[in-house]
Amino acid sequence: MTETYDVVIAGAGPAGAQCARDLATRGYDVVVLETESEDVFPKTSNKSTAGTFPSMITSFGVPDDVVMNFTDKVVLESPNNHYTRHHPGAVLEFADFKRWLVEAGREEGAEYRFDARVTGPVMEDGEIVGVEYNGGEEVRGEITVDATGPSAPLAKALGVSDLKRENHAIGIEYEFTGLDLDHSDYGDLTDAMMLRLDHDLAPGGYSWIFHTGGDEAKVGLCYIQNESHRDYAREDFSIDDYLSYWVENDPRFADAERKEGVQHRGSAHIQMPGRLSTDRFMAIGDTVPSIDPVWGEGIHKGMKSARAAAITVEACLENGMTDTSAEQMALYDRLWHRDVAPNHRNRLLMTELLYLAPNERYDRLMRDLRRCDEDTLRKANEGNKLAIAKLLHFDDVPLLSDLVRNKMAFDLDGVLPKPVSKRTGGASATFRFK
């Protein structure tokens, strides 16, 4: 007999596990299918820098014992400059965090099946009614949730996933001891999360140092193989080569030692999502994708998408009055755009501009950040058009033109100082926000 649940979730990452936890707390029968074996979980999926902010810790009741270090500032670096903003945060031990989420869900009644590789949906009359896993086993549910990340076997099969190869970012991270976190040539990284914009180290992306306590830190970089990567990349350099090059040339690593056997690799997509749901189905977390385009932070966005999915399940299955039509499931889409990633398009614009900008513009950006007040910076981070405009200059027009040439679907009215029209090849290119 095929078992049937209220909800079947594929993937036990932060989004999938939090969705299961929320649903079990509400009294729903939920099962989570996870590819990895429980005795090693999460070995191959331990891929996050796990930097996050207090709002996530508080909203989801994350215990202190999965936090490696509470930070009190964010440092942004360019090749020759830096900017420090006092902003509390937390660097999690990601594996401990994921295991805690699983146990917290189990305590509420969620069921987990490890060693369960999801291979595709079970379909009846054109709708998903369950999941096939391990090449032939089935489990069914009123609603199915894909939380598998970029692999998205269910979302792709249902035509919900719209992940573009050109928006695919790859990353690598090591952990080090013996770092000089307060080197005289750089900003103080003690109790800080640092992001560095520098095409010499991460062409088309950024690198980071997250202090984890003492003289230790998580150190990594990521990039999209975009136009900037093609323009600035070294021939035959892999992502591992870039990280090694940074460590060899940055004096903060002069006496540092890499922790043996500690390495994290991951990938994500930086783009607007397409569809998020259909009949009896939702996609959450990095499957959507939900990663923050500016900070690269995915945990909080993924957890919020999980909560929006749980609210949607409750609306669809409330009091036994089942309505899992695409129209009813679209509540999740509305919650995602309102609560999970508001102004996502505007914030993607900032990210694309950052990737396209040359190193000299990064140095200037640090100066611009120092002259802006905290309110302006907060609003710019939220994607406010006028606040973004305060960080732009007339000579940024070529960057915006590059966005148009690269077929980036952005309207830029209210962002670029007037006038904002220019002639390109005889055609008028006017930049406006919708």
Side-chain angles (χ1 to χ4, degrees):
M1 295 290 292
T2 301
E3 295 175 274
T4 301
Y5 294 80
D6 293 322
V7 182
V8 178
I9 300 173
Q18 179 57 42
C19 189
R21 180 187 176 204
D22 273 352
L23 290 170
T25 300
R26 289 168 164 83
Y28 291 99
D29 293 325
V30 56
V31 62
V32 182
L33 307 178
E34 168 55 44
T35 298
E36 289 192 89
S37 301
E38 186 168 11
D39 59 346
V40 299
F41 178 79
K43 183 178 181 180
T44 60
S45 62
N46 185 19
K47 62 181 184 178
S48 174
T49 60
T52 191
F53 298 103
S55 52
M56 194 285 285
I57 301 287
T58 302
S59 297
F60 297 95
V62 178
D64 289 356
D65 58 7
V66 303
V67 178
M68 300 178 76
N69 189 33
F70 286 100
T71 58
D72 57 25
K73 58 181 175 286
V74 172
V75 178
L76 302 180
E77 287 187 359
S78 64
N80 302 292
N81 210 336
H82 73 272
Y83 165 76
T84 299
R85 180 183 179 188
H86 293 282
H87 189 87
V91 183
L92 308 181
E93 171 44 76
F94 191 57
D96 291 347
F97 170 65
K98 290 183 70 172
R99 286 190 286 265
W100 166 75
L101 271 176
V102 169
E103 291 309 311
R106 277 176 164 163
E107 289 174 4
E108 298 294 340
E111 180 183 334
Y112 277 81
R113 297 185 189 180
F114 289 87
D115 288 309
R117 179 179 293 276
V118 171
T119 51
V122 177
M123 305 294 291
E124 285 185 0
D125 299 323
E127 294 183 356
I128 184 172
V129 295
V131 169
E132 182 180 274
Y133 66 100
N134 291 351
E137 297 186 64
E138 291 185 4
V139 61
R140 298 193 174 206
E142 293 289 346
I143 293 173
T144 300
V145 177
D146 191 337
T148 58
S151 62
L154 304 176
K156 288 178 180 177
L158 295 171
V160 171
S161 175
D162 188 34
L163 301 179
K164 304 293 187 183
R165 183 177 181 180
E166 61 267 26
N167 298 324
H168 184 215
I170 58 173
I172 184 173
E173 178 185 78
Y174 299 154
E175 293 186 23
F176 284 88
T177 63
L179 272 80
D180 185 351
L181 294 162
D182 192 15
H183 193 281
S184 59
D185 294 338
Y186 301 88
D188 184 5
L189 302 187
T190 306
D191 294 328
M193 289 190 283
M194 182 275 277
L195 300 177
R196 183 180 178 92
L197 295 166
D198 186 343
H199 292 302
D200 191 43
L201 305 180
Y206 60 89
S207 55
W208 63 84
I209 297 175
F210 287 0
H211 185 202
T212 56
D215 62 357
E216 300 185 352
K218 295 183 176 184
V219 178
L221 60 86
C222 67
Y223 51 71
I224 299 176
Q225 291 179 315
N226 52 20
E227 180 180 338
S228 285
H229 182 81
R230 292 189 293 271
D231 287 345
Y232 297 107
R234 289 177 170 81
E235 188 174 355
D236 298 327
F237 249 50
S238 68
I239 194 166
D240 300 72
D241 294 326
Y242 282 108
L243 187 50
S244 296
Y245 171 79
W246 183 21
V247 171
E248 291 167 3
N249 290 277
D250 191 317
R252 290 173 289 191
F253 296 98
D255 298 316
E257 293 183 5
R258 179 183 161 193
K259 289 187 178 180
E260 186 175 354
V262 182
Q263 179 185 127
H264 312 301
R265 293 180 184 271
S267 66
H269 287 74
I270 311 298
Q271 66 174 74
M272 281 295 294
R275 299 171 63 195
L276 304 175
S277 65
T278 187
D279 300 279
R280 304 170 63 105
F281 178 81
M282 291 175 283
I284 66 175
D286 285 346
T287 310
V288 172
S290 298
I291 193 167
D292 185 293
V294 178
W295 294 103
E297 201 270 350
I299 293 175
H300 196 189
K301 298 292 186 184
M303 301 276 276
K304 289 201 291 185
S305 74
R307 183 147 290 173
I311 293 170
T312 302
V313 168
E314 193 161 35
C316 293
L317 305 182
E318 188 176 11
N319 299 322
M321 302 295 289
T322 302
D323 181 358
T324 55
S325 65
E327 291 77 14
Q328 185 73 352
M329 298 294 294
L331 170 63
Y332 170 66
D333 301 57
R334 296 192 294 273
L335 292 173
W336 193 95
H337 288 288
R338 189 192 73 182
D339 299 334
V340 178
N343 286 328
H344 195 59
R345 187 178 297 277
N346 296 4
R347 302 184 81 247
L348 274 168
L349 166 65
M350 289 194 294
T351 304
E352 293 295 334
L353 288 172
L354 286 173
Y355 291 163
L356 287 170
N359 276 356
E360 308 82 65
R361 185 62 180 87
Y362 294 152
D363 289 335
R364 185 178 185 181
L365 175 62
M366 299 304 127
R367 297 193 297 271
D368 291 341
L369 291 173
R370 282 198 291 270
R371 67 173 171 76
C372 289
D373 58 66
E374 289 291 316
D375 189 55
T376 296
L377 296 178
R378 176 184 60 80
K379 289 180 178 180
N381 184 56
E382 293 171 353
N384 180 277
K385 294 183 293 183
L386 295 178
I388 296 172
K390 294 182 179 181
L391 296 173
L392 295 177
H393 302 269
F394 285 114
D395 53 9
D396 288 323
V397 168
L399 296 178
L400 299 171
S401 299
D402 284 345
L403 287 182
V404 174
R405 284 198 299 271
N406 291 330
K407 299 181 181 179
M408 302 304 297
F410 295 118
D411 258 343
L412 307 179
D413 188 24
V415 172
L416 191 68
K418 304 295 184 180
V420 296
S421 295
K422 63 175 292 187
R423 291 278 174 179
T424 305
S428 175
T430 302
F431 308 109
R432 299 183 313 137
F433 266 112
K434 284 181 179 176

